[in-house]
Amino acid sequence: MHNVEFKSELRDLELAQSICKAMGATHAEILEQTDTYYKVPSGRLKRREQTGHDTEYIFYDRADKAEARLSHYVIYDEPSARQRFACDSLPVMVVVRKKRIVYLIEQLRIHLDTVDHLGTFLEIEAVVSRAHNVRQCHEKVQEIRAKLKPALGEMLSTSYSDMLMGEQGLDTSGIDPVPSPSNSTDSI
């Protein structure tokens, strides 16, 4: 699967919630999430535990760029992930805990995240499909980003795991940076 995602600092959570409501986004849920990141040879693998949902493993590749970017991901249930990745034997890199407020508008998910030890952040995700190609997803993400701009801070290029590892002084040199996907605005 693919999505186009954008991430930035969130300077004003209440303003962001007001803007989401004003543009007609639906408040979907509030999640308490714990993401455990494992060291894998390439890409990223995390185990996500969250209130009211089954545990899932998410493997993904994306470029570390401070802009909207294409992400390639696969979601596994626990037995499938254990078989595919041998998770029990993988070293844990870092654990990220966050509260996620989720809003939905059209094919987009807006995440207002409060991440332990890091602060508040915004993520916008648009799932690529036959009905919504990569170019259209980029356009929708940019449209929503522009509406939320008064509440935003700096754009982010890295994941919460990388940020937290940096804050904790952990070595990130073994993390495989993913090259920027070529032709990321082409239709899929």
Side-chain angles (χ1 to χ4, degrees), residues 23-146:
M23 67 180 156
T26 303
H27 180 259
E29 60 187 333
I30 298 175
L31 300 167
E32 297 288 334
Q33 296 181 327
T34 301
D35 291 341
T36 302
Y37 285 80
Y38 297 95
K39 186 171 179 68
V40 291
S42 66
R44 295 184 172 125
L45 176 66
K46 64 183 171 185
R47 179 182 70 221
R48 171 159 291 161
E49 299 165 284
Q50 55 192 347
T51 52
H53 297 271
D54 291 336
T55 297
E56 59 188 12
Y57 287 74
I58 304 166
F59 176 81
Y60 64 100
D61 277 328
R62 69 159 186 250
D64 285 340
K65 300 188 310 185
E67 60 187 45
R69 61 211 175 194
L70 185 65
S71 177
H72 310 276
Y73 67 96
V74 180
I75 300 174
Y76 297 93
D77 63 15
E78 194 153 11
S80 299
R82 288 182 186 283
Q83 181 179 5
R84 172 125 172 102
F85 298 102
C87 300
D88 293 335
S89 63
L90 291 174
V92 171
M93 292 190 330
V94 70
V95 176
V96 177
R97 291 180 177 83
K98 65 183 172 286
K99 175 182 170 186
R100 170 166 282 175
I101 302 169
V102 180
Y103 285 90
L104 305 174
I105 186 165
E106 299 175 32
Q107 85 276 17
L108 286 90
R109 294 174 56 91
I110 301 168
H111 301 153
L112 308 177
D113 293 340
T114 303
V115 183
D116 288 2
H117 308 292
L118 292 178
T120 55
F121 303 91
L122 165 87
E123 282 187 353
I124 304 170
E125 297 179 347
V127 176
V128 176
S129 66
R130 292 191 190 278
H132 304 100
N133 66 34
V134 173
R135 180 186 50 78
Q136 292 167 323
C137 288
H138 270 282
E139 289 170 357
K140 290 304 292 182
V141 166
Q142 293 299 63
E143 177 187 321
I144 298 302
R145 175 183 162 214

